Structures are given as structure tokens and as C-alpha cells.
């Protein structure tokens, strides 16, 4: 391979953020939606407005002919909470430079994808044409990733997002983990990209995905993770904890800007930014001697927000040696950039 070649047809920052007024992740999994009139009409009402309970039976359920036939969905139906998913697809690919800053070296990548779509028609009819095969998802992803290398995890997930333009579904979560991408970080570098469509798709729309003009994916969120960084420091209030350094396990979460231009500026440094973030974290933690994890986490979050282009930072710190009866005890905080 001559080196990573950019994927065609998609710019990492080309998706606009989801045009919602509140939290962009609201109702992505079906929450914060109101029942449709067809749902409220399921139970008849008494004259005073209260609903009559439906009769119950202890007999075995036998599907009726109408149950066995796929019925069209009311377009006002709330967003689905059904998903099809692939968990931990293991591949190898280039991601620019490796942990030792060597270019064009293949490294392991673990991919998980979760596609939210309505499965009611398939569940009632047992007709596979109303759903989307997870086997097809796996085949599409594997074939696409075998074609070329990538410049970064962002480049890889962006390429998968472009690939998914003809997939059905209401939301798509792509989680890519590069466990060997960073030195001193046992869990490596990860990126979670969440996409969504502006409205639910139902019935025949899921079968005729290419004929609809309202199927554009929008970015709901991007979140980077660095998992299991393990420096040692003086930490704790007990007298014995003041005598010797102990290992702390640190996880960092970095939110991506929702604005496309700001996000492009945020990631322009590429993998070097994540390496610098690891280095600076160790430089702050190792000489410290706080009594509380809260104070250490607050200092780390403040430093990272000041020195790196991040709108929001999450810091999770565990003390594996704190209590004999538990694997770890710790704190987790989230801080936003001011101004």
C-alpha cells in the first residue's frame, strides 16, 4: 500500500448538526415523544373521560391473519426503540501514523454499529424485506474498509457514515476503537459518532430507502475517548496513602464541536493532539498530591479545557487500591468551556 488515500464522496465535517432546539440527543432512542392518536384510541373511554381497561385472557396467544400481515404505520408514531447491531467487528487498517508515529502501519480496530429502525412490520409478518439484514451491514462495512487506508478514526467513521447513506433507519451509532493507537493508554483511542434522520421511517419507506428525499443523516454528536491511562501519584486522606504513590486509572472523554467549521478546526492536528493530551495528563497527575479525587479531576478538566480546543471534557478517575472489597472506587465529572 502506498499510503492512506482519502475516501471519496464525503468530508469529515460535511454533515450539518441536527437542527433541534434542545439537547441534540433528545428522543434519539425514542424518549421525550408523545403518543399518537392511534395509540390513545386503543382503549375505549367512559363518558367521564377515563379509559376502560382492555379484557385479559389466560389463553395461549395465536396470531390472527391480520397480525400476520404487515400493516402501514401511522407517520405520527413515536420514534422506534428497536435496533439491529453489530458488536465488536475486528479488522485491521492503517490510521495514519501508529502509536510510535510510524506511517502506514496497520493496527487493530474494533467496530460496533447500532442501527435504530422500526421492526414492527417484520415482527408481525416475519417478512425479511421489511427490515435490514445485519449480515448486509457487516458485508458493506468489511468490503468498504478493505479498499483503502485511513488518515484517522474520524476519517474512518466519516467514510462509514457516507456508506450508510442508503441504509434505512432513524439513527445510527458508530463506535470505533483503536486499542493500540496510544502509548500508556491501555484501552486506546475511541470515537463514537451518532447520526440521525429528521423523522422516523415506516413500512414501505424502509424498503424504498433510495426514493425518499428526507433521508439525509445529520450529526447528533461526536465523542472521543481515551480509556485506562494509568499514572501513579500521591492521592488520599489516610496516613498510609500519603507515604507512597498509587496507580490511578483515568478515562477521558472529549466532545466534538457541533458546528462543522469548528469541528474541522478541532481535529486539524490529527492524532498528535491525542498524544499531547496523554502527555499533559501524565505531567499534571504524576507530581500531584491531592487528598481527594474530586480535586484532581477538577484540575485535569480545567487544564484540558484551557490547552485544547474542546467544548466539553469528561474526566473519570478510579483508585483500584482504595477498598479491598471492590475493584475500583472513583469519581466522574463533566466540565464545559466557559465563554
Amino acid at each position: 500500500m502506498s499510503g492512506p488515500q482519502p475516501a471519496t464522496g464525503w468530508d469529515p465535517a460535511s454533515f450539518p448538526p441536527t437542527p433541534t432546539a434542545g439537547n441534540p440527543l433528545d428522543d434519539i432512542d425514542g424518549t421525550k415523544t408523545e403518543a399518537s392518536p392511534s395509540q390513545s384510541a386503543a382503549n375505549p373511554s367512559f363518558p367521564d373521560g377515563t379509559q376502560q381497561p382492555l379484557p385479559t385472557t389466560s389463553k395461549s396467544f395465536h396470531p390472527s391473519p391480520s397480525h400476520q400481515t404487515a400493516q402501514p404505520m401511522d407517520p405520527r408514531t413515536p420514534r422506534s426503540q428497536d435496533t439491529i447491531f453489530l458488536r465488536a467487528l475486528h479488522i485491521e487498517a492503517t490510521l495514519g501514523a501508529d502509536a510510535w508515529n510510524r506511517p502506514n502501519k496497520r493496527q487493530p480496530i474494533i467496530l460496533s454499529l447500532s442501527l435504530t429502525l422500526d421492526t414492527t412490520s417484520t415482527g408481525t409478518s416475519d417478512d425479511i424485506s421489511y427490515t435490514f439484514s445485519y449480515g448486509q451491514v457487516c458485508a458493506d462495512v468489511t468490503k468498504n474498509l478493505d479498499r483503502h487506508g485511513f488518515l484517522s478514526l474520524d476519517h474512518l467513521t466519516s467514510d462509514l457514515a457516507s456508506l450508510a447513506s442508503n441504509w434505512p433507519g432513524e439513527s445510527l451509532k458508530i463506535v470505533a476503537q483503536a486499542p493500540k493507537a496510544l502509548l500508556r493508554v491501555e484501552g486506546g483511542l475511541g470515537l463514537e459518532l451518532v447520526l440521525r434522520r429528521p423523522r422516523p421511517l415506516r413500512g414501505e419507506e424502509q424498503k424504498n430507502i433510495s426514493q425518499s428525499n428526507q433521508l439525509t443523516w445529520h450529526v447528533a454528536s461526536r465523542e472521543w475517548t481515551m480509556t485506562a491511562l494509568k499514572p501513579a501519584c500521591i492521592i488520599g486522606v489516610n496516613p498510609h496513602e500519603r507515604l507512597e504513590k498509587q496507580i490511578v486509572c483515568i478515562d477521558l472523554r472529549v466532545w466534538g464541536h457541533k458546528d462543522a467549521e469548528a469541528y474541522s478546526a478541532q481535529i486539524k492536528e490529527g492524532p498528535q493532539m491525542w498524544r499531547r493530551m496523554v502527555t499533559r495528563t501524565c505531567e499534571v497527575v504524576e507530581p500531584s498530591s491531592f487528598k481527594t479525587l474530586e480535586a484532581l479531576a477538577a484540575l485535569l478538566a480545567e487544564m484540558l479545557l484551557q490547552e485544547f480546543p474542546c467544548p466539553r471534557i469528561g474526566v473519570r478517575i478510579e483508585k483500584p487500591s482504595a477498598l479491598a472489597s471492590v475493584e475500583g472506587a472513583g469519581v466522574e465529572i463533566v466540565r464545559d468551556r466557559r465563554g
Side-chain angles (χ1 to χ4, degrees):
M1 184 177 295
S2 59
Q5 299 296 321
T8 59
W10 209 72
D11 177 9
S14 62
F15 277 147
T18 306
T20 56
N23 185 337
L25 294 179
D26 281 354
D27 88 348
I28 195 167
D29 292 319
T31 59
K32 297 191 179 181
T33 53
E34 296 182 358
S36 68
S38 63
Q39 289 176 309
S40 60
N43 291 6
S45 300
F46 289 110
D48 63 359
T50 59
Q51 288 192 337
Q52 302 179 28
L54 293 175
T56 59
T57 178
S58 59
K59 295 181 179 180
S60 300
F61 171 70
H62 298 285
S64 64
S66 62
H67 179 83
Q68 295 173 332
T69 304
Q71 300 296 321
M73 299 293 295
D74 187 329
R76 295 167 295 182
T77 302
R79 288 183 179 272
S80 175
Q81 298 186 62
D82 305 342
T83 60
I84 64 171
F85 61 89
L86 297 180
R87 182 177 62 84
L89 170 63
H90 290 255
I91 63 170
E92 283 192 355
T94 57
L95 289 174
D98 68 1
W100 298 97
N101 208 27
R102 298 176 299 178
N104 304 327
K105 293 291 184 179
R106 295 174 70 85
Q107 56 181 295
I109 301 168
I110 304 171
L111 288 174
S112 295
L113 297 92
S114 179
L115 187 65
T116 303
L117 77 168
D118 179 61
T119 65
T120 304
S121 296
T122 308
T124 56
S125 67
D126 201 23
D127 183 350
I128 196 173
S129 65
Y130 284 98
T131 189
F132 191 59
S133 168
Y134 45 75
Q136 185 63 52
V137 174
C138 186
D140 288 350
V141 169
T142 304
K143 182 179 179 180
N144 186 71
L145 295 180
D146 285 342
R147 291 178 179 175
H148 49 72
F150 300 92
L151 302 174
S152 64
L153 277 183
D154 185 79
H155 183 197
L156 186 151
T157 56
S158 297
D159 194 67
L160 291 179
S162 180
L163 173 70
S165 60
N166 289 324
W167 292 356
E170 301 170 16
S171 67
L172 172 64
K173 180 168 70 173
I174 303 170
V175 180
Q177 193 79 17
K180 304 293 185 180
L182 295 170
L183 299 177
R184 297 190 289 181
V185 183
E186 290 187 6
L189 179 67
L191 174 59
E192 178 184 291
L193 172 64
V194 177
L195 309 170
R196 66 177 296 174
R197 289 194 165 106
R199 64 173 179 81
L201 305 178
R202 294 292 184 259
E204 291 293 328
E205 277 192 317
Q206 295 187 162
K207 298 172 66 176
N208 302 312
I209 190 78
S210 61
Q211 299 179 16
S212 176
N213 60 359
Q214 298 194 35
L215 302 177
T216 303
W217 291 114
H218 296 277
V219 171
S221 67
R222 295 182 180 96
E223 183 180 321
W224 295 84
T225 59
M226 283 158 279
T227 307
L229 173 61
K230 295 184 176 181
C233 64
I234 298 292
I235 185 75
V237 298
N238 297 305
H240 60 272
E241 292 182 299
R242 311 307 298 172
L243 300 176
E244 189 172 347
K245 290 185 176 184
Q246 60 179 298
I247 293 292
V248 290
C249 183
I250 300 175
D251 298 342
L252 300 177
R253 288 188 293 156
V254 179
W255 275 259
H257 283 281
K258 294 183 176 67
D259 176 75
E261 184 176 348
Y263 183 70
S264 293
Q266 181 182 3
I267 65 170
K268 67 179 181 180
E269 188 179 350
Q272 292 295 338
M273 184 176 78
W274 311 117
R275 297 188 186 104
R276 288 198 302 112
M277 193 171 289
V278 170
T279 298
R280 288 293 294 127
T281 297
C282 291
E283 289 174 349
V284 169
V285 172
E286 288 172 344
S288 67
S289 58
F290 289 101
K291 294 180 180 178
T292 65
L293 290 176
E294 288 84 348
L296 178 58
L299 177 65
L300 268 181
E302 181 181 5
M303 179 274 294
L304 293 170
L305 287 171
Q306 287 180 354
E307 298 186 13
F308 297 90
C310 310
R312 174 179 287 186
I313 286 285
V315 178
R316 177 187 173 95
I317 309 180
E318 282 190 11
K319 290 167 60 177
S321 304
L323 300 171
S325 58
V326 298
E327 292 186 1
V331 300
E332 183 172 4
I333 67 171
V334 175
R335 296 291 184 266
D336 294 307
R337 181 181 299 278
R338 300 185 182 90

